[in-house]
Amino acid sequence: MASAFLLLHSQVSLIAFTTIAFLTIMEFMVYRDTWMKYEYEVDKDFTSKLRINIDITVAMRCHYVGADVLDLAETMVASADGLIYEPVPFELTPQQKELQRMLQVIQSRLQEEHSLQDVIFKSAFKSASTALPPREDNSLQSPDACRIHGHLYVNKVAGNFHITVGKAIPHPRGHAHLAALVSHESYNFSHRIDHLSFGELIPGIINPLDGTEKIASDHNQMFQYFITVVPTKLHTYKISAETHQFSVTERERVINHAAGSHGVSGIFMKYDISSLMVTVTEEHMPFWQFLVRLCGIIGGIFSTTGILHGFGRFVAEIIFCRFRLGSYRSTSVPLPDGHTSNHLPLITDNSTH
């Protein structure tokens, strides 16, 4: 019986220490992990400039298109203030296609699993840039497209960044584009957005329009992007930056004045600035909280195993006692007065020999 109790005690102890080791490892993994905390407040900064980072390739020659920004204050920002027009082939190299395909896969996953955005925030500055790598082929393909890239500084009010036919010229009532000399047969606003972001440029951050590619089905086609920009302060253990997130709604249609579809062929990005500012902070479990949780785990397991051990000992004692009692048989002992006694005989030292 003593050996059975010893075996039970060793088994319970083994289970207890194994559980403690497993839960301690799991708790340490939770302690090492971090999470993002989101806080919201009113954005009171309306005097600073907003930076727009642009890298768009349009399937038209550079001398046919022009890009600029016009905001609600009727302030025009010309592309000459920070954008570069670079003639390039519209067709991508295999390496560039692979990166674009990867960006599109990430974008589709981000739409399904929003928690992946926290992973992107944590990996900022640690991941490689999302810009397309330079062309490495030595093909003699003539440049049939125009890559417009660079950055512009605009007022923090709603505005319209657009790429359309003809270079922009100032106008007393706004601005105009010199499109009269360009044939409609040359219109092709198929485009690829390699990068579009607002605020400080942070490598590793994937924006909603990165990797987008649109192919025009008609010469006179308008592509519209309605963008809501949210000022964002990002504070992680790696970086601290002021940037901007944005959401976007897309629309495209063919310009046909005879059918009542009016407008101008081109690419139009109408953005609006949100009055709310988001502060994203990376947080970590304090060390004292880790110790408290660890002590709670160890104490809880010891208490639970103590209860189980006591219950198992109680059940074992009942089983072994019944077994011992069942090994003795009752005998009839005649008494001098003629009666019989059915009690068990006393076990003495002499009777054991």
Side-chain angles (χ1 to χ4, degrees):
M1 182 175 179
S3 60
F5 286 151
L6 183 59
L7 179 61
L8 175 64
H9 178 75
S10 61
Q11 290 178 345
V12 172
S13 299
L14 180 61
I15 295 174
F17 285 110
T18 303
T19 307
I20 289 175
F22 175 74
L23 293 181
T24 300
I25 294 174
M26 297 298 295
E27 190 65 24
F28 182 72
M29 294 177 63
V30 173
Y31 169 72
R32 292 187 57 190
D33 194 17
T34 59
W35 61 88
M36 308 305 292
K37 179 182 179 182
Y38 292 81
E39 297 177 319
Y40 304 89
E41 59 181 316
V42 177
D43 183 18
K44 301 178 181 178
D45 181 17
F46 293 101
T47 58
S48 62
K49 295 289 186 177
L50 175 64
R51 172 171 168 159
I52 305 179
N53 308 295
I54 302 163
D55 190 351
I56 301 175
T57 302
V58 185
M60 293 181 66
R61 298 189 181 276
C62 290
H63 58 274
Y64 287 159
V65 296
D68 59 275
V69 177
L70 186 66
D71 60 26
L72 287 183
E74 296 187 355
T75 302
M76 176 181 169
V77 180
S79 59
D81 295 337
L83 295 183
I84 300 174
Y85 292 77
E86 179 185 352
V88 295
F90 189 76
E91 185 71 19
L92 295 176
T93 63
Q95 182 183 6
Q96 292 175 330
K97 287 182 179 180
E98 183 65 26
L99 179 59
Q100 185 192 32
R101 192 179 305 111
M102 181 187 67
L103 282 175
Q104 292 173 350
V105 171
I106 294 176
Q107 295 286 13
S108 62
R109 292 293 301 273
L110 282 173
Q111 294 178 1
E112 299 173 358
E113 302 180 21
H114 300 285
S115 60
L116 291 178
Q117 185 64 49
D118 293 349
V119 179
I120 294 177
F121 281 147
K122 294 178 187 179
S123 62
F125 276 130
K126 294 190 297 183
S127 301
S129 174
T130 57
L132 288 179
R135 303 182 68 91
E136 297 180 355
D137 59 342
N138 297 321
S139 64
L140 300 177
Q141 181 181 1
S142 61
D144 57 350
C146 184
R147 179 190 176 199
I148 304 174
H149 59 99
H151 62 271
L152 297 172
Y153 288 95
V154 299
N155 298 321
K156 288 188 70 173
V157 295
N160 181 4
F161 169 76
H162 52 271
I163 302 174
T164 187
V165 178
K167 302 299 181 182
I169 57 174
H171 192 273
R173 295 185 178 180
H175 75 296
H177 287 262
L178 295 175
L181 302 179
V182 182
S183 171
H184 281 75
E185 299 299 324
S186 302
Y187 288 14
N188 183 5
F189 284 100
S190 300
H191 62 280
R192 181 176 58 252
I193 303 176
D194 297 323
H195 180 80
L196 179 71
S197 65
F198 297 83
E200 182 180 349
L201 186 60
I202 303 178
I205 296 296
I206 299 177
N207 297 278
L209 287 177
D210 292 354
T212 300
E213 183 174 286
K214 299 290 184 180
I215 304 299
S217 58
D218 192 272
H219 293 293
N220 296 324
Q221 191 158 350
M222 173 190 287
F223 295 91
Q224 293 176 303
Y225 299 91
F226 301 93
I227 299 173
T228 301
V229 183
V230 181
T232 303
K233 291 183 178 180
L234 181 61
H235 301 289
T236 69
Y237 290 104
K238 299 294 182 181
I239 65 168
S240 180
E242 293 188 7
T243 182
H244 292 71
Q245 301 179 85
F246 66 90
S247 60
V248 60
T249 303
E250 305 174 13
R251 184 190 178 194
E252 59 182 81
R253 60 188 176 92
V254 176
I255 303 300
N256 188 345
H257 298 288
S261 177
H262 304 292
V264 178
S265 302
I267 304 166
F268 297 84
M269 298 182 177
K270 300 180 180 180
Y271 60 88
D272 193 7
I273 312 297
S274 174
S275 59
L276 290 179
M277 180 175 62
V278 180
T279 301
V280 184
T281 308
E282 185 178 8
E283 293 194 342
H284 187 273
M285 180 189 297
F287 183 69
W288 65 266
Q289 186 176 353
F290 168 70
L291 291 179
V292 171
R293 291 167 62 98
L294 194 60
C295 292
I297 290 175
I298 296 175
I301 292 176
F302 272 115
S303 300
T304 304
T305 53
I307 295 173
L308 294 177
H309 182 266
F311 179 75
R313 186 182 181 89
F314 174 73
V315 172
E317 288 180 349
I318 292 178
I319 294 175
F320 282 112
C321 286
R322 285 190 175 182
F323 176 76
R324 292 183 59 186
L325 290 175
S327 61
Y328 300 105
R329 295 285 186 265
S330 60
T331 57
S332 298
V333 179
L335 296 177
D337 56 359
H339 295 84
T340 58
S341 175
N342 293 326
H343 295 286
L344 292 174
L346 292 177
I347 300 176
T348 62
D349 293 338
N350 296 327
S351 61
T352 58
H353 296 289

